[in-house]
Amino acid sequence: LKRHDMAARCYERVAQLDDSSAEAKAGLGALKVLSKNKEDLKGGLALLKAAYELNPHLAFNLISICEQLFNRGEYNVVAKLAQEVIESDTHESSIKAEAYYYLGMVYYLADQSDQALMCFRSAKAEDKDYIFPNHGMAKVFIKNGNVQSATIALEAIADASQGDL
């Protein structure tokens, strides 16, 4: 419905009624982060951080925001959000793996291959079944002229897909 103004009012009301509502802080923070206003972005990041301190299980929301912002080309914000997840108390290895992946992609796009590889490897260490880091590693290896390592990363994707590419 794209009624962000109404959603913001609802989250604000819940926060007024219950200052400890992590969900209200996360919802309002997400709306602010997704706006194009710099002050909203700053306030949104603060709200998200507060929400995750109250409830570390909300980190999956941050990952979906990372995906949206990555697709919009807002890589600095993606890096900040991914760092928040990585440094959070979440015990969900798949969520941390995605955060490492997005941070790795930001490094890759910034031509920081070593940091990108480190993030992609950290993503695999968090969740060995998560296949997207292999794509990232293959890109870095190809960019650096390491065709053999790129082939190994791509073969792992093919093996994981069991021929369903």
Side-chain angles (χ1 to χ4, degrees), residues 29-137:
L31 289 172
K32 287 182 179 248
V33 164
L34 292 173
S35 92
K36 301 227 180 205
N37 181 311
K38 295 253 187 219
E39 287 303 312
D40 281 349
L41 173 63
K42 208 174 195 183
L45 288 172
L47 283 168
L48 286 171
K49 184 172 183 168
Y52 299 120
E53 287 172 358
L54 290 169
N55 184 354
H57 299 288
L58 293 174
F60 70 93
N61 286 337
L62 203 117
I63 292 301
S64 65
I65 295 168
C66 278
E67 181 179 11
Q68 291 177 35
L69 292 170
F70 185 84
N71 290 331
R72 279 190 356 199
E74 297 185 36
Y75 306 122
N76 290 334
V77 179
V78 172
K80 287 178 188 177
L81 293 176
Q83 281 291 89
E84 287 292 329
V85 172
I86 291 166
E87 295 170 2
S88 76
D89 293 333
T90 185
H91 299 292
E92 293 292 324
S93 58
S94 62
I95 292 170
K96 280 199 176 182
E98 284 192 68
Y100 276 118
Y101 168 73
Y102 281 110
L103 188 57
M105 288 304 297
V106 169
Y107 282 133
Y108 170 76
L109 293 171
D111 287 327
Q112 296 177 8
S113 296
D114 291 341
Q115 290 89 340
L117 275 177
M118 186 174 67
C119 288
F120 294 140
R121 288 180 176 138
S122 294
K124 291 301 287 183
E126 289 288 339
D127 184 355
K128 65 178 177 59
D129 296 325
Y130 185 46
I131 204 68
F132 284 105
N134 288 71
H135 289 275
M137 286 189 280

Side-chain angles (χ1 to χ4, degrees), residues 1-12 28 31:
L1 297 173
K2 297 190 180 199
R3 297 290 314 266
H4 294 246
D5 56 330
M6 186 178 288
R9 284 196 307 269
C10 290
Y11 286 128
E12 287 167 350
L28 190 55
L31 289 172

